[in-house]
Amino acid sequence: MSDTQIMETPSRLKKLALQSLSELRHVWGKNSEGVLIFSNLQEVVVNYCRNLQTLFPASLAKNLEKLEKLEIGSCHKLQAIYLFTSSAAKKLVNLEYIIVVDCKSVTEIVAREGDEDEDEHKGEGEDKYENEMMFKKLQILFLDSLPKIESIYTGCSTLNFPSLELVEFIRCYSTELFRPGDKVPTELKVKIDGLYWEDDINYAIMQQFDEETA
């Protein structure tokens, strides 16, 4: 398929599925940024692409306004789901499901951007979380076997999940997946390693980690 054909098809694409592409490192090269616009893409499923390092360039991710589901599994060199930079996340108004399973290098789900580093050094009395990042329709967050995950997000914006119904973590032993100030519904159901928890989410994860390492 020629570059011209690739540029003509994306606007009609609704589902992208990549399976067992062991040599794939990047879905799109640098020359494709700003050219491919997937305005109708609703579902992305990527499994067993063990050398995949990045999924979408940030410039492309900002156009995925109709995306409803993201599922990633067994992509061991993927370090962060760059679909969710803080600027791109604000465009994902229809996203309902995030599923990330068995990705050994993933450290965060929402990737911070370079200009956020300056905000970390704000003085006392200044609001580090003055910017809010809302996942308006997200209902399900499922994370399984992510041994290096540190947090959902380590940047300076507040995360807001007004529609979140279920968060399930399996073998994710970070003790700060959500941070103070992040907003989740009071009726949110949290399931950790098969058990439902009513206590603080981060405390529950820490307790599970202590049991595993005892």
Side-chain angles (χ1 to χ4, degrees):
M1 181 178 291
S2 69
D3 291 341
T4 302
Q5 289 174 311
I6 292 174
M7 288 186 288
E8 290 175 350
T9 56
S11 62
R12 298 189 294 271
L13 189 66
K14 292 185 177 181
K15 179 176 180 179
L16 174 66
L18 303 174
Q19 177 86 16
S20 301
L21 301 175
S22 60
E23 301 303 317
L24 182 67
R25 296 179 183 273
H26 308 281
V27 179
W28 284 275
K30 293 181 179 179
N31 293 334
S32 298
E33 293 190 20
V35 177
L36 300 174
I37 298 176
F38 286 82
S39 56
N40 290 312
L41 193 61
Q42 298 175 5
E43 183 175 352
V44 174
V45 179
V46 183
N47 287 304
Y48 301 105
C49 297
R50 62 187 183 186
N51 286 308
L52 183 67
Q53 297 175 13
T54 59
L55 185 56
F56 292 109
S59 59
L60 176 60
K62 294 176 183 179
N63 295 303
L64 299 176
E65 296 181 357
K66 292 186 179 180
L67 188 68
E68 298 176 359
K69 179 180 179 180
L70 174 69
E71 179 178 343
I72 300 176
S74 299
C75 297
H76 297 311
K77 291 191 177 180
L78 194 67
Q79 294 185 4
I81 312 304
Y82 286 105
L83 182 59
F84 304 122
T85 59
S86 55
S87 59
K90 295 175 182 178
K91 301 290 186 178
L92 300 175
V93 295
N94 288 299
L95 187 65
E96 298 179 1
Y97 303 94
I98 299 175
I99 301 169
V100 186
V101 178
D102 190 27
C103 294
K104 295 179 180 178
S105 298
V106 166
T107 58
E108 57 186 341
I109 303 302
V110 180
R112 60 189 298 163
E113 295 179 290
D115 57 359
E116 294 186 67
D117 292 333
E118 297 179 2
D119 294 334
E120 280 195 342
H121 303 291
K122 287 185 176 181
E124 292 185 8
E126 295 184 74
D127 187 2
K128 289 177 64 176
Y129 303 105
E130 59 184 3
N131 297 317
E132 184 173 276
M133 193 187 316
M134 180 181 293
F135 290 85
K136 187 175 181 180
K137 291 188 177 181
L138 187 67
Q139 299 175 24
I140 306 294
L141 175 62
F142 181 88
L143 306 179
D144 182 358
S145 301
L146 308 180
K148 292 187 178 180
I149 193 166
E150 299 173 1
S151 180
I152 302 298
Y153 168 68
T154 59
C156 300
S157 297
T158 299
L159 299 183
N160 189 352
F161 303 96
S163 301
L164 196 58
E165 298 176 0
L166 174 65
V167 173
E168 183 165 359
F169 303 122
I170 301 174
R171 293 181 291 275
C172 297
Y173 300 124
S174 167
T175 58
E176 196 178 15
L177 285 171
F178 289 101
R179 307 156 308 153
D182 288 342
K183 301 175 182 179
V184 297
T186 55
E187 64 274 16
L188 174 66
K189 294 180 180 179
V190 180
K191 193 174 184 181
I192 302 175
D193 290 343
L195 300 175
Y196 283 100
W197 288 78
E198 296 181 359
D199 298 322
D200 174 76
I201 298 174
N202 293 323
Y203 174 77
I205 294 169
M206 184 170 61
Q207 291 294 101
Q208 292 294 90
F209 177 73
D210 289 342
E211 291 177 7
E212 289 285 337
T213 56

